[in-house]
């Protein structure tokens, strides 16, 4: 393995840890939603890195499906937060 690959894995892992800390300690729901969206992007980066490492293109299909689902997830959370602020 190259040094660049190991460095990429370490950076992805450390950013996932910091993102999980933000999800746990987020003072508001909006902070947790943004952290969850960021965590999904980090997960997609990890899947892409794993796809490059194994030379298997099938993981990119999984990546696209995850991206579509997480887009809908973020949209629904934003709609929920918007509806919640109109009620107050």
């Amino acid at each position: 393995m190259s040094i660049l690959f190991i460095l990429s894995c370490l950076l992805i892992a450390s950013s996932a840890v910091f993102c999980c800390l933000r999800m746990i300690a987020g003072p508001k729901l909006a902070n947790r939603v943004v952290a969850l969206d960021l965590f999904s992007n980090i997960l997609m980066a990890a899947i892409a890195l794993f796809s490059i490492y194994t030379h298997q293109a099938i993981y990119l299909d999984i990546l696209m499906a995850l991206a579509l689902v997480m887009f809908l997830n973020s949209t629904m959370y934003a709609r929920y937060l918007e509806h919640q602020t109109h009620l107050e």
Side-chain angles (χ1 to χ4, degrees), residues 5-17:
F5 177 76
I6 294 171
L7 183 63
S8 300
C9 289
L10 288 175
L11 287 174
I12 286 175
S14 66
S15 61
V17 167

Side-chain angles (χ1 to χ4, degrees), residues 43-63:
L43 180 63
M44 286 186 264
I47 292 172
L49 190 64
F50 184 72
S51 175
I52 291 170
Y53 177 70
T54 60
H55 301 289
Q56 297 286 328
I58 190 71
Y59 295 115
L60 297 177
D61 295 335
I62 296 169
L63 181 71

Side-chain angles (χ1 to χ4, degrees), residues 5-84:
F5 177 76
I6 294 171
L7 183 63
S8 300
C9 289
L10 288 175
L11 287 174
I12 286 175
S14 66
S15 61
V17 167
F18 287 132
C19 189
C20 286
L21 290 175
R22 175 47 67 189
M23 277 193 282
I24 293 170
K28 293 186 178 183
L29 181 63
N31 291 351
R32 290 185 175 105
V33 169
V34 170
L36 181 66
D37 190 45
L38 179 63
F39 187 75
S40 68
N41 288 330
I42 292 168
L43 180 63
M44 286 186 264
I47 292 172
L49 190 64
F50 184 72
S51 175
I52 291 170
Y53 177 70
T54 60
H55 301 289
Q56 297 286 328
I58 190 71
Y59 295 115
L60 297 177
D61 295 335
I62 296 169
L63 181 71
M64 292 301 292
L66 180 66
L68 289 171
V69 169
M70 290 314 295
F71 172 73
L72 291 174
N73 186 23
S74 298
T75 305
M76 288 295 111
Y77 272 128
R79 191 169 177 103
Y80 171 74
L81 289 175
E82 180 184 18
H83 182 67
Q84 190 179 24

